[in-house]
Amino acid sequence: MLRKLLFALFLICSAGSALHAQPCGILLYSTEGKKFKVYTNGELQNAKPMSTITLCCFPMDIVKVKLEFEDKSTMEQTLYLRTGFIEHHMVTGKKIVFDSYEEIPQQYSDVTNVTIININGGNTGGGNTVVTSRASSSGGRGCSSPMADRSFYEFYGALKNKKFDSDRLADAKAAVQRDCFTSKQVKITLGAFKFEDSRLEFAKFAYAHVYDKGAYNTVKEGFSNSLSGNELDDYIGR
């Protein structure tokens, strides 16, 4: 009798934990601009192939992902996600590779149904409901609307394939001046450069064209040393 009671209590506690578990999300982007359909745990998420897609929110932290490319080739991989975060994963020629992560926006903290979202605004191109979330911009705005995630990751994949930092720098400056970035996108862009001087030069240039200047501190996470962060602060007058 006692054993049955303890087992019943265990089931109740387990169910309660599952109900209050934080959700997970994934952002997948092709480094080569290839478009694909995504199946998660056997369920198709986008009928129209996309080269970048953000999915939220999964109630469990283990997700089986299958990608089907336009040439009908496929790629399958099990992802072990961080609860409470949207993980960014690069889709390379052979596998899905972890890149970075960010917190799930507060409005999704209790969501457990999976859909395509765009946390920076713009059209996902997937035909699903688009939910947008603008970052705080207490430090002012350099533009009215930043580049959408889909377009940004297509740009970033092409940028990383450039041979020289001088070419990357010229293209990155042109893109941020033309389209505007979020602070997070500036930080991610720094990862495409091989040299710290290039990272610092781009970070200085991009500040005038960033959507959420109040969040620009996050850009310093993209540097390889703290001196660059200090120099950036001096440049923007902090």
Side-chain angles (χ1 to χ4, degrees):
M1 181 67 181
L2 179 60
R3 183 177 297 176
K4 290 182 178 179
L5 179 60
L6 290 174
F7 182 68
L9 288 173
F10 170 76
L11 291 177
I12 292 171
C13 292
S14 298
S17 298
L19 287 173
H20 292 90
Q22 288 183 301
C24 310
I26 52 175
L27 186 155
L28 300 165
Y29 69 96
S30 171
T31 57
E32 300 173 353
K34 293 182 178 180
K35 296 182 179 181
F36 48 83
K37 294 180 181 179
V38 182
Y39 295 81
T40 58
N41 299 327
E43 182 179 351
L44 176 63
Q45 297 297 340
N46 57 315
K48 181 180 179 181
M50 304 166 67
S51 59
T52 301
I53 186 172
T54 304
L55 297 170
C56 191
C57 300
F58 298 93
M60 304 296 290
D61 57 2
I62 301 176
V63 179
K64 293 182 179 180
V65 176
K66 176 183 176 181
L67 305 182
E68 182 181 301
F69 296 90
E70 291 181 301
D71 63 2
K72 302 304 179 182
S73 62
T74 60
M75 180 186 299
E76 296 186 42
Q77 193 165 317
T78 299
L79 301 182
Y80 299 87
L81 306 176
R82 294 170 172 82
T83 57
F85 294 90
I86 294 176
E87 291 197 359
H88 298 199
H89 290 262
M90 299 181 290
V91 178
T92 67
K94 296 182 179 180
K95 60 182 179 178
I96 300 172
V97 181
F98 173 76
D99 182 16
S100 59
Y101 63 91
E102 61 184 299
E103 289 187 2
I104 291 178
Q106 183 63 36
Q107 63 264 41
Y108 307 126
S109 59
D110 296 322
V111 175
T112 55
N113 60 303
V114 182
T115 188
I116 300 175
I117 68 169
N118 189 334
I119 58 175
N120 286 328
N123 190 349
T124 63
N128 294 49
T129 301
V130 180
V131 187
T132 62
S133 173
R134 298 296 191 185
S136 169
S137 56
S138 58
R141 296 179 180 178
C143 64
S144 59
S145 180
M147 183 186 288
D149 274 341
R150 178 184 179 186
S151 299
F152 172 75
Y153 280 108
E154 288 177 353
F155 153 78
Y156 180 65
L159 190 71
K160 291 179 69 175
N161 288 330
K162 295 287 183 180
K163 189 173 182 180
F164 302 109
D165 254 19
S166 57
D167 294 333
R168 297 187 189 98
L169 190 57
D171 285 1
K173 284 182 176 181
V176 73
Q177 187 173 28
R178 179 184 65 246
D179 299 318
C180 184
F181 287 2
T182 63
S183 294
K184 182 195 76 175
Q185 289 170 343
V186 173
K187 182 193 77 171
I188 292 172
T189 302
L190 299 188
F193 297 109
K194 292 184 178 180
F195 302 108
E196 187 75 353
D197 287 348
S198 300
R199 298 187 190 102
L200 182 58
E201 182 176 344
F202 177 68
K204 288 179 178 180
F205 180 87
Y207 181 70
H209 309 285
V210 76
Y211 173 78
D212 51 346
K213 292 185 177 182
Y216 212 64
N217 261 339
T218 192
V219 172
K220 293 189 287 186
E221 297 172 8
F223 292 132
S224 60
N225 65 67
S226 59
L227 293 178
S228 296
N230 294 338
E231 187 170 339
L232 179 62
D233 282 342
D234 290 341
Y235 176 80
I236 62 181
R238 289 181 176 172

